[in-house]
Amino acid sequence: MKILHKITVSLLMMALPYVANAQVSLSASDFDIAAGGEATFAVSMENEGQQICAAQFDMALPDGLTFQSAQLADARSVDHGIDSNTVNGKIRVSVMDPENNFKGNQGPIAYITVKASSSFKTGKVGFEFISFSSLTGQAFWGANFDIIVNPDIIETTEGVKFYVSPESLTLEPNSEGVKQGELSIMLDSPKYSVTACQFDLTLPDGVKVASAKGTDRSANLKTTAKELDNGCVRIKMADIKMPLLETITGTEGAICIITFEATDKNFKSGEVKIDNIELANPDNLKCNPDDITVSISATAGIENVTANQLNQGPIYNLQGVKVAGESMNKGVYIQNGKKFVVK
């Protein structure tokens, strides 16, 4: 396969006077591509009654679709060279041979490979500034056209799964002795794009929401936590800009991490109820997954250290390293198999 030098292509194509010719045209078909995947589609030329040695076109790609490569279609352009570069934000592809015409008068002359982002759904590829030239010095303009990527995509709530991980949560002391635990809010939505998510948390006495934050999947959305008049905590994830176009990326995995904290040192166990769950997509197709109940408990045996306790046996930090009582910093330590806190 020959690769054309960009300057050679540009000078040759620009030097020719262009006229319209309905007998010469480019075409491409709508195609499908999976989010995060690649796809290759053919660009075909029809030149009934006209010999053509060179073709050039610009492609305007939709957001979320990136150009990967342009390859020759050997059946028609085996003797040709191909080149691609970016011009004014569009991908310009040139296929030509100054000594040979394309073989035949219809069929593919190039194959274009593109890659979709993890959140790509659908869009148009625009073909513009289409031009052709012959060995005799004639040059022609072709008609602009568009093709659709994923033309038959239908938003549906089928397959939507809203769940948590872990299914039961244990609050354990951090380095400051505060009992905390993280709960991941999980969302699988293979055919449903989410531009907003909202749910309420009903907490047991002695537990609060310390924080709620998004993940890489929901980086495009703003995550907030607000206590309601009824005592519930409402978690909201939404694109706060107008129009509401940003969505959760990908089709599965965590979208929010909630940190729970024990406010009562005597808290042992209870339940967190997650209800009023509502998802919405850019077309306002709403989805209301079932309520979820999560068991929550706290580890026991964490105490404040006393002066007498320092003399009741060797003390270790959480890494298992023995420490001297008089040199301990604030944190959690272990003595005689029990954890205690130095404040």
Side-chain angles (χ1 to χ4, degrees):
M1 180 182 71
K2 289 185 285 186
I3 304 298
L4 298 178
H5 193 281
K6 299 175 185 177
I7 297 179
T8 302
V9 174
S10 300
L11 290 177
L12 181 59
M13 301 294 284
M14 291 174 60
L16 300 173
Y18 287 90
V19 296
N21 189 324
Q23 292 180 307
V24 186
S25 63
L26 281 189
S27 65
S29 299
D30 300 343
F31 66 94
D32 295 323
I33 188 171
E38 291 188 355
T40 299
F41 64 93
V43 177
S44 298
M45 180 177 68
E46 184 172 345
N47 54 301
E48 188 71 34
Q50 182 69 56
Q51 294 297 307
I52 299 296
C53 68
Q56 182 173 282
F57 55 91
D58 289 359
M59 292 186 302
L61 301 179
D63 291 340
L65 210 61
T66 55
F67 174 77
Q68 298 296 295
S69 65
Q71 301 292 327
L72 291 173
D74 288 344
R76 296 202 63 193
S77 49
V78 64
D79 297 322
H80 288 59
I82 192 166
D83 176 69
S84 60
N85 59 299
T86 302
V87 178
N88 297 326
K90 300 178 178 63
I91 306 300
R92 175 163 295 175
V93 178
S94 303
V95 185
M96 70 170 293
D97 188 324
E99 299 177 354
N100 296 284
N101 290 317
F102 287 99
K103 299 182 183 301
N105 52 33
Q106 61 181 0
I109 60 171
Y111 292 106
I112 307 298
T113 300
V114 293
K115 184 175 183 179
S117 67
S118 60
S119 60
F120 181 79
K121 292 295 182 180
T122 186
K124 291 182 179 181
V125 177
F127 286 78
E128 307 170 355
F129 299 105
I130 302 168
S131 58
F132 312 94
S133 61
S134 69
L135 293 177
T136 60
Q138 293 177 294
F140 315 105
W141 285 117
N144 295 349
F145 65 95
D146 296 330
I147 61 174
I148 301 176
V149 188
N150 294 337
D152 298 322
I153 188 169
I154 298 175
E155 288 283 335
T156 172
T157 60
E158 177 185 358
V160 171
K161 183 181 179 183
F162 190 93
Y163 57 107
V164 299
S165 179
E167 295 182 354
S168 60
L169 181 65
T170 300
L171 307 182
E172 298 184 345
N174 58 20
S175 60
E176 300 296 325
V178 179
K179 297 178 183 179
Q180 291 185 333
E182 290 185 345
L183 187 70
S184 296
I185 304 298
M186 314 291 286
L187 176 66
D188 296 350
S189 53
K191 299 180 180 181
Y192 183 80
S193 57
V194 179
T195 193
C197 173
Q198 178 179 292
F199 53 90
D200 293 344
L201 303 172
T202 301
L203 307 175
D205 292 339
V207 173
K208 72 173 184 179
V209 172
S211 66
K213 59 183 179 181
T215 66
D216 290 343
R217 289 191 63 197
S218 55
N220 294 330
L221 309 183
K222 182 178 180 180
T223 301
T224 59
K226 179 181 180 181
E227 185 173 350
L228 305 180
D229 292 339
N230 61 5
C232 295
V233 176
R234 174 160 294 173
I235 307 297
K236 183 179 292 187
M237 310 176 70
D239 178 10
I240 61 175
K241 302 182 295 296
M242 294 297 290
L244 305 180
L245 298 176
E246 298 290 353
T247 61
I248 290 174
T249 61
T251 58
E252 61 181 20
I255 62 171
C256 181
I257 307 295
I258 301 174
T259 300
F260 294 93
E261 181 179 307
T263 57
D264 183 350
K265 66 179 181 180
N266 296 318
F267 174 79
K268 293 183 179 180
S269 63
E271 290 183 339
V272 174
K273 183 179 180 181
I274 306 176
D275 61 4
N276 295 325
I277 305 167
E278 184 172 296
L279 309 173
N281 79 340
D283 296 323
N284 204 32
L285 175 63
K286 294 184 179 180
C287 178
N288 299 99
D290 294 337
D291 298 347
I292 302 172
T293 299
V294 180
S295 298
I296 186 170
S297 60
T299 57
I302 305 296
E303 305 171 353
N304 289 332
V305 66
T306 65
N308 291 334
Q309 192 170 348
L310 295 178
N311 300 316
Q312 293 176 358
I315 300 172
Y316 302 88
N317 61 22
L318 294 181
Q319 288 72 46
V321 179
K322 187 176 180 180
V323 297
E326 62 274 8
S327 63
M328 289 189 299
N329 297 319
K330 292 181 180 180
V332 180
Y333 298 89
I334 302 173
Q335 185 180 50
N336 296 327
K338 294 184 178 181
K339 295 179 182 178
F340 65 91
V341 179
V342 174
K343 294 185 177 179

